[in-house]
Amino acid sequence: MQLGRVQGLKGVRTSRHDQPQQPRTSAASTLRPVNIEGWRWSRHAATVHGLPGLGTRRIMRCPPSNARNARNPSGEQGLQVAHTNESPFRSVLCANRGEIAIRVFRAGTELGLRTVAVYSPADRLQPHRYKADEAYQVGAPGAQPVACYLDIDAIIQVAKEAEVDAIHPGYGFLSENAEFARKCADAGIVFIGPLPETIEAMGDKTAARRAAVECGVPVVPGTNRPIMSPEEAKDFSAKYGYPVILKAAMGGGGRGMRVVRSDGEMADAFVR
């Protein structure tokens, strides 16, 4: 466990929808949706190869070239670096699902990139599959969905067969997996994210804190090594005061964080 001092803690905002939302004004919002065999397509016209269904492994959505050129002057040349006019890559696979995958595909299309999705058998009808130019199944039938998106070798194999230049991990799943980033590099595929060494250094929160201190980054009071018992946590709290945050030293995706406001709460929070 790792401890950190909380300054000015009064409450936690749980949703971005608490703030007023501004109406969308993008050109995409003015397009009328099109229905193809019962499936709703709202971004632009599409040519469908293979109807969506339980047995469909691949579906391609090919926007008209003039529609893509309108968003990206470079057209089919893909993303270009301004000062060199070189394309770092022309296709991207998102090793994720849901909203984050859809956002990656939307950005890729606007940049003129070919987009590739992966999906588990259980997610064969999920929207992200149909928002990419190509989609491929990973994982055996009956496999747990999460296990499919954590199958590094299967995802790398799909990327090779689809001849993609880069993989975007999204968030969660393999986004903080140094082995995945390293295997992407070994396969000659760009990993859109930190270097494997950076992921390893930041994975251990106490090591990340020490690195921040060594770089002169301001930090709040906290422990520079894991604490092994509630008594150690109470000693820290007695020195710096409550409230404190108790956090798993090796991550937990935010779910491992507990706000502790007194000695009486410490033991239970530490065990959890």
Side-chain angles (χ1 to χ4, degrees):
M1 292 291 183
Q2 181 185 17
L3 275 175
R5 177 76 168 87
V6 180
Q7 296 180 343
L9 180 68
K10 294 183 181 299
V12 178
R13 182 179 292 279
T14 59
S15 173
R16 61 183 175 85
H17 300 292
D18 293 340
Q19 301 178 357
Q21 299 296 308
Q22 298 297 325
R24 294 179 180 270
T25 58
S26 65
S29 64
T30 64
L31 298 179
R32 292 184 177 181
V34 179
N35 287 305
I36 301 178
E37 294 295 325
W39 290 91
R40 185 176 177 87
W41 303 82
S42 58
R43 293 177 58 198
H44 41 62
T47 302
V48 179
H49 302 272
L51 296 177
L54 300 182
T56 304
R57 174 174 172 80
R58 175 174 177 175
I59 179 169
M60 297 185 66
R61 182 169 46 72
C62 306
S65 59
N66 59 346
R68 182 170 288 192
N69 290 340
R71 290 190 297 272
N72 176 34
S74 63
E76 298 301 323
Q77 297 304 311
L79 180 67
Q80 293 186 346
V81 179
H83 64 285
T84 63
N85 290 327
E86 296 179 353
S87 299
F89 42 85
R90 298 185 180 183
S91 56
V92 60
L93 179 150
C94 183
N96 216 300
R97 60 181 176 180
E99 177 190 10
I100 182 58
I102 293 174
R103 287 176 177 269
V104 170
F105 300 147
R106 179 187 301 166
T109 299
E110 291 175 353
L111 292 170
L113 304 178
R114 178 171 62 92
T115 56
V116 179
V118 292
Y119 61 92
S120 71
D123 292 330
R124 61 190 179 277
L125 299 181
Q126 291 301 308
H128 80 278
R129 173 188 175 185
Y130 302 105
K131 294 295 185 180
D133 295 319
E134 302 172 24
Y136 299 89
Q137 179 178 303
V138 290
Q144 292 295 319
V146 172
C148 298
Y149 296 102
L150 294 177
D151 192 334
I152 295 176
D153 293 334
I155 292 174
I156 294 291
Q157 184 62 34
V158 167
K160 288 181 176 179
E161 293 178 357
E163 298 181 344
V164 301
D165 303 318
I167 293 180
H168 194 303
Y171 53 71
F173 292 134
L174 296 172
S175 62
E176 298 182 33
N177 189 301
E179 179 186 0
F180 182 52
R182 189 170 286 110
K183 285 194 173 184
C184 285
D186 292 343
I189 300 171
V190 175
F191 176 79
I192 303 178
L195 295 173
E197 296 78 12
T198 304
I199 296 175
E200 290 173 341
M202 295 295 104
D204 183 339
K205 299 303 181 293
T206 55
R209 179 183 175 83
R210 291 194 297 270
V213 172
E214 291 172 0
C215 293
V217 177
V219 297
V220 300
T223 57
N224 291 325
R225 59 177 182 81
I227 58 174
M228 308 307 294
S229 69
E231 286 67 30
E232 290 184 63
K234 291 178 181 178
D235 291 341
F236 173 90
S237 303
K239 180 178 179 180
Y240 292 99
Y242 286 101
V244 297
I245 287 181
L246 193 65
K247 177 174 176 52
M250 295 301 294
R255 292 172 295 178
M257 292 192 292
R258 297 284 185 270
V259 177
V260 183
R261 295 179 172 84
S262 67
D263 282 353
E265 299 178 5
M266 184 63 73
D268 180 64
F270 190 90
V271 172
R272 294 170 63 188

